[in-house]
Amino acid sequence: MQLFKLLGNKRLFIALIGLVAFIAIMGFTLGPRASLSWPEKFMRDTVGFVQSIFYKPASYIAGFFEDVRNMREIYDENERLRKAVAQYSRESASYNMMKANYDELQNIMNFTEHQKQRYEYVYRVAQVISVNSDPNNRTLVIDLGERDGVRVNMSVTSVEGMVGVVSSVSNFTSTVKLLTAMDEQDPNPQPIAVTAVGKETATADHKATFGIIESYNEKTGMLEMMRIPEDDPIEEGDQIISSGIGGLIPQGMIIGTVDEVRTSDYGQTRTASIVPAASFQDWKHVIVVFTPEEPE
Amino acid sequence: MKRKQVLFLLLFLLFILQGTVFFWLTPSSWQLQIYPNFVFVAILFVSVYYHRHTGLVLGLIFGMIHDVIYYGEMIGTYSFAMGVSAYIMGLLFQMPRAPLPIMMTVVLLGSLLFDSTLFGIYKVFSLSQSSYDWALLHHMLPNLLVHFVFALIIYVPLRKQLEIIAKSKRNQTS
């Protein structure tokens, strides 16, 4: 009798139905989804529009005070940039020659048009509209959307280095999932195959560096690069870039520098801690990397 | 009876400001630590001074907006956590004449409950690796402080408005 009385309680009944509905929604939206439904798109576009009105002025005002604070550092930065420009102009001459050589060789080898364009990425600057700093679900909203050709899983980078991957797209805005939310047990894992600058390919002296970044350690603030072979030439201070293996993440995205290399928990391979190049703070602009369309 | 609609719009404005302007007001070193949810604090006031059912519905609505806008992993976490914690705090503490100390206790307990619910959901779906102690120390307690300060700021104006709405509702029914 007691049990039937309990079932007759309307409030309990509603609460249970609500709980079940929420678990269903969470489970349904957790896995990979092709695209968003129209109510979601509508809500995101309207709210995104209002947010963009507020975010820009706020970032300019905050940026102004920061500029005043950084006035002294600008002199040093100028010096450094001048050196970098000198080096750049020297290197661009040799780059042009190598590029011409490379194109010619591609022609001789009969590369198809698609193969030639595989590594020609288009970079587009996007304005950050709003930020969610929940540590378990760090996301940014940017003002480029489906209409501008953004697709899910495109990589997003800042001037310093890679910051994340586009997780969902609506007509005029898209959401970027940051690298700091990366996690091995994620239901939609996005591991990044990486290598070190100068050690991309095997030579007579050493083998190529290879590893996979699939998690972020929140306690140390570093990315974990796993599955590095025992005889890998990786060293502390190496700059880590994405290798483009697997195809989802474009080649040559700067990720960070190696802080420490140690034997992994299972002993067979090694693990490296990577200090991320991007700062993950004070967002203003990010750059979306458009990869060429894969032929169907 | 426009007061209700204006308050709802202000709540929406607060939601917008939370993701844009407040982010710029927090110092860079704190940006990785705190994730204040000011809308939730305001909804706690509604739960205590007006009615817990209104708090529940507002929590569900604004949580759902938050989930859809910042859709990274899944939809429904914020909606569930905000709705349920606002309802529970309203159930325990609903009193139209609650003085400042009680309201502040509600804010502290409510924000702990909210953050713990979020943590629990992420843990159940194994999206979070950190332990509860660590999250408590590094995220929830700093959050608690920010929520407390925000609650002190909005206490007087928001309570006054909510009491006017509650009074006019009582007059209509009687």
Side-chain angles (χ1 to χ4, degrees), chain A residues 61-112:
Chain A
I61 293 167
F64 174 74
F65 287 113
E66 205 170 306
D67 288 346
V68 171
R69 223 181 303 146
N70 293 344
M71 206 75 104
R72 239 174 292 156
E73 290 165 29
I74 285 189
Y75 181 77
D76 292 339
E77 195 181 351
N78 195 14
E79 199 74 350
R80 255 186 297 126
L81 288 179
R82 217 174 275 177
K83 277 181 200 153
V85 166
Q87 193 183 358
Y88 170 75
S89 54
R90 252 180 286 135
E91 277 173 4
S92 72
S94 76
Y95 168 79
N96 282 337
M97 237 157 73
M98 276 159 74
K99 172 92 170 102
N101 238 335
Y102 180 69
D103 286 347
E104 197 183 309
L105 286 173
Q106 273 189 343
N107 277 333
I108 293 171
M109 301 287 280
N110 288 328
F111 271 42
T112 63

Side-chain angles (χ1 to χ4, degrees), chain A residues 11 19 22-23 25-27 29-31 33 36 40 43-44 47 50-51 54-55 58-59 62 66 129-139 141 167-168 175 177 181 183 185-188 218-219 279-284, chain B residues 12-13 15-21 23-24 26 28-29 31-36 52-53 60 64-66 68-80 87 91 118-119 121-122 125-131 134 139:
Chain A
R11 205 166 293 169
L19 190 68
F22 264 108
I23 291 173
I25 290 176
M26 288 176 198
T29 53
L30 188 59
R33 286 172 74 194
L36 299 176
E40 286 169 281
M43 199 196 279
R44 292 168 56 117
V47 175
V50 183
Q51 282 176 328
F54 283 93
Y55 194 87
S59 75
E66 205 170 306
I129 297 178
S130 62
V131 180
N132 176 22
S133 42
D134 180 352
N136 290 307
N137 181 26
R138 279 191 207 285
T139 49
V141 181
S167 65
S168 62
T175 305
K177 200 172 110 191
D183 184 347
Q185 286 163 15
D186 199 314
N188 308 311
E218 212 192 342
K219 288 172 191 167
S279 63
F280 299 104
Q281 283 166 5
D282 293 332
W283 302 100
K284 265 183 206 143
Chain B
F12 183 70
L13 188 71
F15 173 78
I16 301 286
L17 292 179
Q18 173 180 306
T20 56
V21 178
F23 176 75
W24 282 103
T26 47
S28 306
S29 51
Q31 281 178 12
L32 292 177
Q33 295 243 325
I34 54 170
Y35 50 108
R52 58 177 185 277
H53 289 155
L60 290 179
M64 192 48 86
I65 296 178
H66 188 285
V68 171
I69 304 294
Y70 304 107
Y71 181 18
E73 292 284 3
M74 57 182 173
I75 288 176
T77 43
Y78 267 70
S79 188
F80 181 78
Y87 183 80
L91 194 67
L118 269 190
F119 181 86
I121 294 172
Y122 286 127
F125 286 92
S126 74
L127 295 171
S128 157
Q129 301 299 309
S130 49
S131 66
W134 193 84
H139 297 304

Side-chain angles (χ1 to χ4, degrees), chain B residues 79-110:
Chain B
S79 188
F80 181 78
M82 281 170 82
V84 166
S85 353
Y87 183 80
I88 291 176
M89 293 323 285
L91 194 67
L92 296 177
F93 288 98
Q94 185 176 10
M95 41 180 115
R97 297 243 164 270
L100 181 74
I102 291 192
M103 190 58 225
M104 290 303 127
T105 317
V106 171
V107 169
L108 293 184
L109 288 178

Side-chain angles (χ1 to χ4, degrees), chain A residues 56 91 140 148 187 196 215 219 221-222 225 230 256 273:
Chain A
K56 238 187 221 172
E91 277 173 4
L140 300 178
D148 307 291
S215 67
K219 288 172 191 167
M222 289 188 210
M225 174 172 165
E230 274 291 319
S273 298

Side-chain angles (χ1 to χ4, degrees), chain A residues 182-218:
Chain A
M182 273 213 303
D183 184 347
E184 296 152 82
Q185 286 163 15
D186 199 314
N188 308 311
Q190 263 144 352
I192 307 173
V194 291
T195 182
V197 172
K199 295 172 186 171
E200 294 97 340
T201 48
T203 61
D205 319 331
H206 59 74
K207 299 178 79 177
T209 294
F210 174 78
I212 288 175
I213 291 183
E214 53 184 2
S215 67
Y216 174 78
N217 189 336
E218 212 192 342

Side-chain angles (χ1 to χ4, degrees), chain B residues 17 56 65 82 84 96-97 116 136 147 154 172:
Chain B
L17 292 179
L56 173 71
I65 296 178
M82 281 170 82
V84 166
R97 297 243 164 270
S116 307
L136 184 75
H147 286 171
I154 62 166
Q172 273 176 358

Side-chain angles (χ1 to χ4, degrees), chain A residues 244-284:
Chain A
I245 297 172
L248 210 57
I249 310 282
Q251 204 178 35
M253 309 279 290
I254 298 166
I255 292 176
T257 45
V258 178
D259 182 67
E260 183 201 9
V261 184
R262 58 180 188 279
T263 310
S264 76
D265 300 342
Y266 305 109
Q268 294 290 319
T269 57
R270 289 188 294 166
T271 301
S273 298
I274 314 288
V275 183
S279 63
F280 299 104
Q281 283 166 5
D282 293 332
W283 302 100
K284 265 183 206 143

